[in-house]
Amino acid sequence: MRRFFAGLAALQMLAVVAQFFLAASGAFDTAPKDESFQPHRALGGGIVLIAVLVTVVAAIARMPGRLIGMSGLVAGLAVLQFAIKEIATAFDGTGGDLVFGLHAVNGLAIVAVTGRIIRQARQLSMPATPARQAS
């Protein structure tokens, strides 16, 4: 189950990296903004679901509490992305672009926490090597 958790965390990182790609392609697309960011929004919802699933699997796999907490943190940060978007839209024309900058910074935080989860999950999923006996 721990290996499955590590694989699921890696899938989450892959989705987050794809999210950055979709954001960049939407920003430089010539289509209207609603159309150009549709794939980015859709994957964002998927990332929230993956993050919740990672958290549930971490708990079921009896991962250390800190790892379960970090998994939940990613889910919370992913939900926060939608809140940042709504707040920035509400401030449109009066500083909304500055608020939208937090969307990118929060995305980087998601990458950092997910990377740490993957590193710790891989360490925990490796079989313990038996200690050598002194000769």
Side-chain angles (χ1 to χ4, degrees), residues 14-33:
L14 180 66
V16 172
V17 169
Q19 187 71 328
F20 273 93
F21 172 80
L22 292 174
S25 65
F28 295 106
D29 196 351
T30 57
K33 279 195 175 188

Side-chain angles (χ1 to χ4, degrees), residues 7-133:
L8 196 57
L11 175 68
Q12 180 174 299
M13 180 64 90
L14 180 66
V16 172
V17 169
Q19 187 71 328
F20 273 93
F21 172 80
L22 292 174
S25 65
F28 295 106
D29 196 351
T30 57
K33 279 195 175 188
D34 280 348
E35 289 178 28
S36 60
F37 282 103
Q38 184 57 34
H40 178 73
R41 278 192 297 277
L43 184 57
I47 288 172
V48 171
L49 294 176
I50 293 170
V52 169
L53 181 62
V54 167
T55 305
V56 170
V57 170
I60 291 171
R62 298 188 183 267
M63 299 303 258
R66 180 170 282 201
L67 203 51
I68 296 170
M70 285 193 304
S71 300
L73 176 62
V74 171
L77 290 172
V79 169
L80 182 60
Q81 289 290 72
F82 287 96
I84 291 171
K85 187 252 182 209
E86 291 302 320
I87 292 168
T89 302
F91 283 108
D92 195 26
T94 58
D97 291 342
L98 293 175
V99 175
F100 246 129
L102 295 174
H103 188 77
V105 172
N106 191 44
L108 292 173
I110 292 171
V111 168
V113 175
T114 301
R116 188 166 171 103
I117 290 169
I118 291 170
R119 191 172 358 164
Q120 290 183 8
R122 284 188 178 165
Q123 289 173 348
L124 290 170
S125 66
M126 296 172 116
T129 55
R132 290 190 201 181
Q133 293 181 356

